[in-house]
Amino acid sequence: MAKKAPAASSYPSAGRKAPAISAPGSNGKTVKLSDFKGKIVVLYFYPKDNTSGCTTQACGFRDAHTRLKRAGIVVLGVSPDSIASHEKFIDKFDLPFILLADEDHKVCEAYGVWQQKSMYGRKYMGVMRTTFIIDQAGKIAHVFEKVKPAGHEEEVLAWIKENL
């Protein structure tokens, strides 16, 4: 029997402690959210490497990386793709941040982004494009739902500048 999709309201809400994560990273290490305590983390979930929207979003964060890094912000991308897929994606687009392989969907499920989707009448489970801003204390400061890939990095930077 198919697993029931969580409702959109299952996203952890702002002000709550961010769910702990541990996943293989494109840096060759197991990455934990706790590794970045004291820093602002942009944790963004995307459906698939090398697709148009996901490439647009990743390249936006790449192009803003110097400004993000200067502000003490760490970017982590998460998708169900493998490390091998992430490495090809990183090499092809010169991405300067860590991508996490969530092949078992545990990180996506912890953040409520593994949901039922529908395309051309076919229902399937997939990643809802969502970004979480996690503050220096490890709490969720903001959740961007139903993210539009183009210009998202500017939206994230503006929100952090105004609120953190």
Side-chain angles (χ1 to χ4, degrees):
M1 180 168 205
K3 192 173 186 179
K4 182 107 170 122
S9 62
S10 67
Y11 294 138
S13 57
R16 302 193 67 191
K17 184 169 174 32
I21 61 170
S22 178
S26 58
N27 62 351
K29 300 176 182 169
T30 297
V31 175
K32 297 177 183 167
L33 190 57
S34 59
D35 297 340
F36 305 100
K37 192 167 175 81
K39 295 188 180 274
I40 296 168
V41 176
V42 173
L43 183 65
Y44 83 96
F45 292 86
Y46 65 99
K48 189 160 181 51
D49 292 340
N50 287 302
T51 56
S52 63
C54 298
T55 299
T56 296
Q57 186 176 18
C59 289
F61 282 123
R62 175 200 64 202
D63 296 346
H65 190 257
T66 301
R67 289 183 291 151
L68 290 158
K69 191 174 179 180
R70 200 176 316 126
I73 299 164
V74 174
V75 175
L76 298 173
V78 182
S79 83
D81 295 301
S82 67
I83 287 295
S85 175
H86 284 340
E87 287 170 348
K88 289 176 189 167
F89 191 42
I90 288 167
D91 289 345
K92 185 174 182 179
F93 295 102
D94 196 26
L95 303 178
F97 47 85
I98 299 169
L99 298 179
L100 304 181
D102 188 32
E103 293 180 89
D104 60 6
H105 315 128
K106 285 187 178 1
V107 177
C108 289
E109 288 173 6
Y111 279 82
V113 302
W114 187 250
Q115 297 181 18
Q116 186 174 46
K117 299 171 90 175
S118 180
M119 184 181 289
Y120 305 118
R122 185 179 73 84
K123 294 188 184 315
Y124 62 98
M125 295 300 289
V127 175
M128 298 302 286
R129 191 183 306 277
T130 310
T131 300
F132 295 84
I133 308 299
I134 301 167
D135 69 16
Q136 298 92 328
K139 290 188 176 180
I140 295 172
H142 189 70
V143 181
F144 291 93
E145 299 179 42
K146 297 178 183 168
V147 168
K148 302 277 187 268
H152 181 56
E153 73 286 351
E154 295 301 331
E155 181 182 32
V156 167
L157 274 162
W159 190 91
I160 291 171
K161 184 177 179 183
E162 290 175 22
N163 296 282
L164 294 180

